[in-house]
Amino acid sequence: MLSCRRLIGQLANRSQLRCYATARLLDQRYVELTQKNGEQLKYPSVWLRDNCQCPDCFYAATSTRKSNWERGPLNVRAETVRFDVQRQQLIVHWQDAHESSYDLNWLQERDFASRQRYLDAVYKPPMQLWSKTEFAANTCEFAYKDVLKQDAVLLQWLEALAVKGFALLHGAPNDVHVVRQLAERIGYIKHTTYGDVFEVKSKPNAGNYAYLMTPLPLHTDMPYYEYKAGINILHTLVQSESPGGSNTMTDGFYIADKLRREHPAYFELLRSVPVNWFDIGHDGDAKKPFHSLWRAPIICLDVDGQYARINQNTTKRDSRFSVPLEQVVAWYEAYDMFMQLAQAEAVEFKTRPGDVFVFNNLRMLHGRTAYEDSPENKRHLVGAYVDWDIIYSKLRTLKFPNAKD
Ligand code: OGA
Ligand code: NM2
Ligand code: ZN
Ligand code: ZN
């Protein structure tokens, strides 16, 4: 039998279709709705009052609560509750003579028991972690021009970045503005101490290890930033014809998870011991000096205990290790295991001119194999960053253009 919610979804506006429900007050603290099929929905009355939808309490133009409470709604009790079948609404009468009504649909969408549904659908699509052998199956590829022209493709690209952690674009023109165009297609480019658009090529007096032709071991960019760059957009204009110059990549969240399963004590050390990440110098000839410093562990979890950020860059790890002496050796053992696992799971591929390699810089360890750079044999990439706040926002506007309604 179809659930009430599905019926409403499928047959909206057919007013003859009604869900019968009964409402009751439990201990004046909760309101319980029992639907005809026996399904129950339960809401704290303080939350109902806090989210009253009447024009005195709610400003429809911005879909937000009005700020008429100084201390919050905790002290107003519900007096009576009933379900109005005709209007398909829960009606609450409060002790201060206020009345609130809530559409059943609205309540169902805010069911506390199904809260994960909202987090997965709207907050962030669940990530799919992958091992080396699953690389091909997780590779999503798009045509550059389609990403620029079609919103549906832009959405697929951003979804792939959020879920798989990387994606490849093909067919970009030989133009240094490609990365800016992609960043602005999403929203806003990120300005950093390396500028907004940066050129990755072998440079004399290189101000960053990435601007050499030596191997660039697995790392994440900018661990030395509190607001670390979200995605890295790397456009290949010229690829080295020498052997090497290939990209390497490992899913850092997959590695963290493997470490957690196989070596929980090491995981705990890398999750908890803070490392000082630093970057001191200046970029190119502009000579604007910088001194970046951010203290954070290698594996960072978010408030839900999900993987949030990996920090790793050997060249940016400060020799000032500001932890108790007794933690140091154990930390190095854990770090060594993490890097062994990361290297064992690293994939390697060589981009061609016109390719744009885009990846989640909070998640993917990435690097590059050594190459020979000479006047006749060059390698030239152009890069830019975009923050995840901007990307998720764009993704949601594409997926839910009527979110406010
Ligand atoms: C970087 C980087 C990869 C490459 O510049 O941080 O990871 O292919 N570059 O040169
Ligand atoms: N670049 C490419 O974190 C880093 O310093 C990695 C960043 C120089 C902007 C390289
Ligand atoms: Zn109200
Ligand atoms: Zn990098």
Side-chain angles (χ1 to χ4, degrees):
M1 201 180 126
L2 284 175
S3 75
C4 184
R5 183 177 308 131
R6 284 174 61 201
L7 273 176
I8 285 180
Q10 287 174 13
L11 301 156
N13 303 328
R14 286 206 198 167
S15 54
Q16 72 271 28
L17 248 157
R18 304 255 176 249
C19 284
Y20 292 88
T22 53
R24 72 180 178 124
L25 202 50
L26 303 177
D27 195 22
Q28 284 198 312
R29 287 177 171 271
Y30 295 95
V31 176
E32 188 184 72
L33 278 179
T34 306
Q35 301 174 80
K36 202 181 171 198
N37 62 7
E39 271 181 36
Q40 287 189 321
L41 300 163
K42 194 172 166 187
Y43 304 94
S45 43
V46 63
W47 173 86
L48 285 166
R49 182 61 194 250
D50 189 33
N51 293 290
C52 176
Q53 300 288 292
C54 88
D56 286 343
C57 300
F58 190 75
Y59 184 49
T62 54
S63 302
T64 56
R65 187 178 302 117
K66 286 187 179 173
S67 57
N68 32 357
W69 295 91
E70 303 234 319
R71 280 185 48 215
L74 196 59
N75 298 310
V76 187
R77 295 282 165 112
E79 201 160 61
T80 58
V81 298
R82 69 187 171 87
F83 186 76
D84 186 318
V85 174
Q86 202 59 34
R87 283 155 58 190
Q88 290 289 287
Q89 283 183 331
L90 168 70
I91 315 290
V92 182
H93 284 103
W94 304 93
Q95 279 177 349
D96 63 354
H98 199 71
E99 184 184 300
S100 310
S101 51
Y102 310 87
D103 291 346
L104 182 59
N105 259 346
W106 185 94
L107 288 167
Q108 285 168 332
E109 280 170 16
R110 287 157 182 78
D111 176 13
F112 283 83
S114 317
R115 59 193 179 277
Q116 193 61 39
R117 198 180 47 198
Y118 176 71
L119 298 180
D120 291 347
V122 184
Y123 181 49
K124 296 178 180 178
M127 295 188 182
Q128 292 167 10
L129 311 187
W130 50 269
S131 65
K132 183 176 184 170
T133 54
E134 295 161 320
F135 171 57
N138 284 280
T139 303
C140 299
E141 301 179 75
F142 303 93
Y144 170 77
K145 65 171 184 350
D146 294 347
V147 168
L148 284 194
K149 290 214 182 88
Q150 298 174 36
D151 279 356
V153 180
L154 175 62
L155 185 137
Q156 283 171 26
W157 174 48
L158 300 182
E159 185 99 11
L161 283 173
V163 173
K164 313 288 190 182
F166 78 103
L168 292 169
L169 309 185
H170 301 292
N174 185 5
D175 178 347
V176 291
H177 301 299
V178 159
V179 292
R180 183 189 298 281
Q181 258 154 10
L182 285 170
E184 288 177 357
R185 174 79 170 120
I186 303 172
Y188 307 93
I189 200 163
K190 185 181 177 76
H191 295 254
T192 75
T193 36
Y194 289 92
D196 47 11
V197 167
F198 49 87
E199 300 205 76
V200 182
K201 56 183 176 187
S202 176
K203 305 178 192 180
N205 303 320
N208 191 286
Y209 207 78
Y211 301 155
L212 298 170
M213 49 184 154
T214 52
L216 188 57
L218 288 173
H219 68 282
T220 58
D221 286 15
M222 316 208 111
Y224 43 77
Y225 262 32
E226 176 171 6
Y227 304 116
K228 180 179 182 169
I231 57 162
N232 200 333
I233 306 177
L234 280 179
H235 173 207
T236 304
L237 288 160
V238 183
Q239 181 56 281
S240 174
E241 272 156 29
S242 74
S246 295
N247 282 105
T248 55
M249 176 170 61
T250 298
D251 184 346
F253 291 172
Y254 174 82
I255 302 302
D257 212 44
K258 195 171 163 72
L259 192 71
R260 186 182 226 160
R261 278 182 271 116
E262 295 174 6
H263 306 278
Y266 285 164
F267 175 85
E268 195 44 33
L269 280 161
L270 296 192
R271 188 201 62 76
S272 61
V273 174
V275 174
N276 301 335
W277 306 99
F278 81 128
D279 194 30
I280 300 177
H282 59 82
D283 182 32
D285 299 327
K287 299 254 186 286
K288 250 194 210 165
F290 48 70
H291 186 155
S292 305
L293 189 56
W294 177 243
R295 184 167 156 77
I298 295 223
I299 299 169
C300 303
L301 304 184
D302 71 10
V303 72
D304 294 312
Q306 303 288 324
Y307 298 114
R309 162 170 171 170
I310 303 290
N311 294 308
Q312 156 57 13
N313 188 331
T314 308
T315 70
K316 303 298 177 189
R317 188 157 42 75
D318 199 336
S319 52
R320 294 170 197 269
F321 197 178
S322 312
V323 298
L325 181 71
E326 310 74 58
Q327 288 187 1
V328 175
V329 176
W331 181 87
Y332 273 100
E333 284 167 5
Y335 175 63
D336 192 59
M337 180 56 74
F338 180 78
M339 290 315 294
Q340 269 186 54
L341 296 178
Q343 264 138 30
E345 293 291 339
V347 298
E348 192 177 315
F349 56 95
K350 191 164 180 173
T351 58
R352 285 192 291 253
D355 290 349
V356 190
F357 170 35
V358 191
F359 55 90
N360 182 348
N361 184 55
L362 309 185
R363 167 173 169 187
M364 294 295 152
L365 295 164
H366 65 280
R368 177 190 69 218
T369 61
Y371 63 98
E372 289 287 331
D373 204 66
S374 64
E376 315 73 59
N377 183 18
K378 293 266 159 223
R379 183 177 190 270
H380 183 194
L381 271 58
V382 176
Y385 301 118
V386 181
D387 284 324
W388 274 105
D389 287 318
I390 306 297
I391 303 163
Y392 279 125
S393 164
K394 184 69 186 183
L395 192 56
R396 293 184 200 113
T397 63
L398 291 166
K399 271 168 118 171
F400 311 106
N402 305 315
K404 214 159 67 60
D405 302 349

